[in-house]
Amino acid sequence: MRVLNLMTCLTIVLWATHSQAFFSDSELVPFKTITLQSAPEIEIPIYKSKGKKGPGILLVHGNSSSSRSYIRQVYSALGKYYQLYLLDLPGHGLASKVDSDKEFPRQPNGLPLGFSEYQTGLVEAVSLVANDPDVRAEVLVGWSLGGDVILLAQGAGLVPNTKGIVIFGTAPSGANPPTLESPFNAPYVPGVPGLGLLASLGFSFELDQNNPLGFNLLGQFSSPVPPYAPEPLSDYDSRGKAYINSFFNKTRRRFGLVPNLFLEDGLNRSDDRFRASLGVVALGLLPPGGLPDELDVLKSLEGDPQNSSDDIPILVAMGEEDAFINEQYLRDLRSAGGIPTLWKDEIFVFPRTGHAVHYERPLLFNLLLHKFVRDIEN
């Protein structure tokens, strides 16, 4: 279960070579911009690395982040060799936000509905970029929410060129999980079984006795940390800082060693209404007939049982100190056969690493991705 076991078979010297820009937190520059077909006012910037080799590899960021989180892939030897493509999801980074004058959508019965630009718009954005003639992505890589969005796009049949999928810091969920384990780690929201407190901050979730649901989705990153949050979350002066700090390992969280770009992206460049719209989806408040079941999507990656070449392999990884994702949940999915095309039949766990494994352990992450892509090419 340790990523280092795989790394011994790779040529580390080549992939350890990188320029000083590898550690830069500078802004990426889009090479083109597209618009959502369902909402032409929403513009999506696309970025690319200097590499020209191999299949197109699309990197999708997580909730309250941006393409900049992959800076240590773009400017590494990986990015100088492979064609890496990135996007800012709607409501994030340099992508458009929904007009601030628009009222938050609600269902006729008063339940929150959320902005479709921030719900199905995520799936549309990823599929449009993946199929763009200047991208033609065959390998889809998703961090946290990015992994969920990739699975939804795959399940909806919108990314037909996919030859391999990588998800990390993602716990695919569905209606009938083969385990009683929660996808999220403790601490949990009081009275809401299985809802991780950290995840709730990313959903704008707030307990509210005056609301018929018992909660609302009006929380903002600038709001105080909920009073039921234990230490060390209670030490932060806002929900946003508690959430963003939790992307990293225990040492970084303890000493506040959080890269400024993550704080900028979360606190200043992502839309609070995005998080509320995401909460509508995560808490199952959308009308029936919406998005695919992620557990069904995992099973659908297996093609003809008599012909493994039809399979779409999926690499699943996480950090040993991920504050969000329950490792045992992923282990149980694997043991129950819920990930039939799991690459190497292994959940890769990065030692002493938090949720943002690609930023905290870029060399190991890049080597692992290189090995996965090389297997697909062969």
Side-chain angles (χ1 to χ4, degrees), residues 176 178 293-303 336-341:
N176 297 296
D293 184 296
E294 292 180 356
L295 299 182
D296 289 343
V297 176
L298 291 176
K299 294 176 183 177
S300 74
L301 299 179
E302 184 176 35
I339 319 176
T341 64

Side-chain angles (χ1 to χ4, degrees), residues 244-263:
I244 301 299
N245 273 266
S246 299
F247 287 176
F248 300 95
N249 66 22
K250 293 178 181 178
T251 299
R252 283 179 179 265
R253 297 199 297 265
R254 185 178 303 119
F255 295 104
L257 302 175
V258 176
N260 192 53
L261 78 89
F262 285 90
L263 291 170

Side-chain angles (χ1 to χ4, degrees), residues 103-116 119 205 208 210-218 276-277 279-281 283-288:
E103 186 175 348
F104 192 80
R106 296 184 178 277
Q107 299 181 43
N109 60 8
L111 292 178
L113 183 62
F115 290 104
S116 61
Q119 296 165 338
F205 179 95
D208 182 356
N210 298 320
N211 191 298
L213 293 172
F215 65 87
N216 64 52
L217 295 172
L218 303 177
S277 298
V280 170
V281 177
L283 297 171
L285 300 177
L286 278 181

